[in-house]
Amino acid sequence: TSGSLRPLRMLFLGAPGSGKGTLTSRLLRAFPQVGSVSSGDLLRQQMAEKTEIGKLAAEYISRGELLPDEIMTRLLIRELDSRQWLTSRATWLLDGFPRTDIQAISLHSALKAYNADLNLVVELKVPESVILARIVNRYVHVPSGRVYNLSYNPPKVPGIDDVTGEPLSRRPDDTAEVFQRRLDKYHATLKPLREYYAQAGILKTVYGETSNIIFPQLEALVKDSFAVQYVAKQI
Ligand code: AP5
């Protein structure tokens, strides 16, 4: 029964364009009890609303740079708090935060106060050549974070979001030059983050070039994570 399932508090790690957003949507369809937050979507919403954080984000994002750790930590903790997800019972997935070891330590302290912590970190590994081919075809619907790809999952009407009928846009950070900088930044910050979670014993890896190869691995990890408490109870 769901009463015996352990809450899932997962971080999805992966290079820009590796498919985190796309796989997250699919995961939420398979596990409707899970909620998700994407730090990139939050920033793009702030940019669209032209808030102070949005203006700052526009500068960093257009250069392919990461925003300062304190700003991201405040934004994400506030978001988790407003969703009442800072509890040991909530079940959720984060995409894009924590992105540095400093952010990881901040999230750990914030959750510790509520007797909670991340319990699954999944690193998604996709070859760089595959990623680069995808990015030139990416279109997004900013208000919802829905992602399309002209060859993989095109919108029903070109340039229009399937659900709302609103226009789609290209991301300003998807140009060849900025995208390469984002990839380099990802690899530079990944190592300490990966080590941090490997040491905590919660780091898993999924590999592949297509969602049909990757998704079953991801689904199995999430199912196992949910079931841990159940298994423990049987012993
Ligand atoms: P963010 O929005 O988090 O970008 P990202 O991590 O660079 O990841 P992406 O959104 O580019 O890729 P994705 O893995 O979600 O891929 P998608 O599913 O779209 O962050 C943007 C910026 O915000 C950062 O650069 C930084 O400046 C700032 N920021 C955010 N968080 C921060 C933090 N914590 N600290 C500091 N700064 C922060 O897929 C890609 C494309 O491929 C799509 O077109 C999709 O349709 C297609 N696709 C997906 N799967 C497949 C498949 N199986 N086959 C074919 N095509 C596919």
Side-chain angles (χ1 to χ4, degrees):
T1 65
S2 62
S4 55
L5 296 182
R6 182 176 77 152
L8 176 80
R9 284 184 296 277
M10 171 178 160
L11 165 65
F12 205 0
L13 282 177
S18 57
K20 299 179 297 292
T22 305
L23 287 161
T24 296
S25 304
R26 200 161 157 186
L27 206 58
L28 301 195
R29 285 200 293 278
F31 300 96
Q33 68 272 47
V34 179
S36 81
V37 171
S38 148
S39 57
D41 288 349
L42 272 187
L43 292 174
R44 281 184 286 279
Q45 285 156 14
Q46 300 272 340
M47 282 158 63
E49 291 164 15
K50 298 196 163 49
T51 62
E52 283 308 309
I53 289 188
K55 286 180 206 157
L56 188 75
E59 288 173 27
Y60 280 87
I61 290 179
S62 66
R63 294 198 301 263
E65 294 292 332
L66 295 181
L67 273 84
D69 288 326
E70 318 78 68
I71 290 178
M72 290 312 294
T73 302
R74 222 179 308 131
L75 180 69
L76 268 291
I77 301 283
R78 198 174 66 194
E79 181 69 21
L80 292 176
D81 193 25
S82 75
R83 294 175 182 230
Q84 298 184 321
W85 283 1
L86 289 175
T87 78
S88 56
R89 293 175 309 281
T91 262
W92 42 251
L93 176 163
L94 303 181
D95 162 3
F97 176 90
R99 217 181 188 94
T100 64
D101 53 345
I102 292 172
Q103 294 178 18
I105 292 164
S106 302
L107 178 67
H108 172 73
S109 325
L111 288 172
K112 207 170 153 197
Y114 298 89
N115 206 14
D117 207 348
L118 290 180
N119 50 26
L120 177 65
V121 177
V122 178
E123 183 187 348
L124 169 60
K125 282 193 172 168
V126 176
E128 206 160 303
S129 55
V130 173
I131 290 179
L132 291 171
R134 284 177 187 173
I135 258 355
V136 292
N137 282 324
R138 169 157 68 179
Y139 283 79
V140 293
H141 177 244
V142 170
S144 66
R146 263 184 295 280
V147 182
Y148 297 87
N149 189 283
L150 294 188
S151 52
Y152 170 67
N153 56 344
K156 289 183 187 124
V157 179
I160 301 292
D161 177 47
D162 289 352
V163 179
T164 61
E166 290 168 355
L168 300 176
S169 47
R170 296 271 303 146
R171 282 175 42 171
D173 54 346
D174 276 352
T175 62
E177 190 201 341
V178 175
F179 194 79
Q180 189 59 53
R181 220 173 301 143
R182 290 166 55 202
L183 276 178
D184 295 346
K185 195 85 206 171
Y186 173 74
H187 292 296
T189 50
L190 178 68
K191 204 164 166 259
L193 197 58
R194 188 200 267 145
E195 277 166 12
Y196 180 82
Y197 289 123
Q199 226 163 40
I202 56 173
L203 179 68
K204 308 281 176 189
T205 309
V206 293
Y207 301 90
E209 294 191 13
T210 69
S211 296
N212 288 342
I213 301 291
I214 297 165
F215 188 72
Q217 303 170 44
L218 190 61
E219 198 179 20
L221 285 173
V222 169
K223 265 195 191 133
D224 283 355
S225 182
F226 268 134
V228 163
Q229 187 166 319
Y230 181 71
V231 171
K233 274 189 182 165
Q234 302 290 299
I235 294 167

